[in-house]
């Protein structure tokens, strides 16, 4: 019953984007089925590490707080997967 679960944080450029902060999205993929949603947070694209899916410059408290928030979301998703699998529920991206 174990399924492949992948989590990715990324920036999505709004249609009317001219500069400034961009919203951070999360993509959850379970066995090829994916769902994307906003994290309700924004970030300067110059300070975003695409490969790591995190904000650069951990010397600033606000940057550390944002990365910690993303880590909490990441952990909650895996916790939800474990809980559903324990209950015998079929896990999907939604």
């Amino acid at each position: 019953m174990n399924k492949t679960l992948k989590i990715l944080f990324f920036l999505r450029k709004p249609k009317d984007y001219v500069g400034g902060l961009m919203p951070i999205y999360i993509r959850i993929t379970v066995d090829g089925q994916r769902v994307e949603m906003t994290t309700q947070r924004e970030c300067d694209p110059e300070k975003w590490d695409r490969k790591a899916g995190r904000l650069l410059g951990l010397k600033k408290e606000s940057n550390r707080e944002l990365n910690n928030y993303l880590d909490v979301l990441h952990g909650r998703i895996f916790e939800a997967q474990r809980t559903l699998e324990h209950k015998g529920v079929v896990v999907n991206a939604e």
Side-chain angles (χ1 to χ4, degrees):
M1 187 185 281
N2 284 342
K3 302 227 178 201
T4 303
L5 175 70
K6 296 181 183 178
I7 300 171
L8 172 72
F9 293 102
F10 64 98
L11 300 182
R12 176 172 285 164
K13 188 185 304 185
K15 291 181 183 178
D16 57 351
Y17 182 76
V18 290
L21 301 178
M22 291 173 56
I24 302 172
Y25 276 75
I26 183 171
R27 177 182 297 147
I28 303 167
T29 307
V30 178
D31 287 346
Q33 179 189 14
R34 69 183 191 188
V35 172
E36 295 176 356
M37 63 191 84
T38 181
T39 62
Q40 303 296 320
R41 299 291 193 270
E42 294 180 322
C43 163
D44 181 358
E46 301 278 325
K47 297 179 181 176
W48 184 256
D49 183 351
R50 289 182 61 190
K51 194 170 189 174
R54 296 286 187 267
L55 191 59
L56 298 172
L58 295 178
K59 291 183 179 180
K60 289 183 75 174
E61 181 67 25
S62 60
N63 293 0
R64 280 196 306 269
E65 287 176 6
L66 178 60
N67 284 341
N68 287 339
Y69 175 75
L70 298 178
D71 288 339
V72 167
L73 286 180
H74 193 270
R76 285 184 181 173
I77 292 166
F78 278 110
E79 183 179 323
Q81 178 199 24
R82 281 192 302 272
T83 301
L84 290 172
E85 286 179 347
H86 181 70
K87 291 181 179 179
V89 177
V90 177
V91 177
N92 61 34
E94 291 183 21

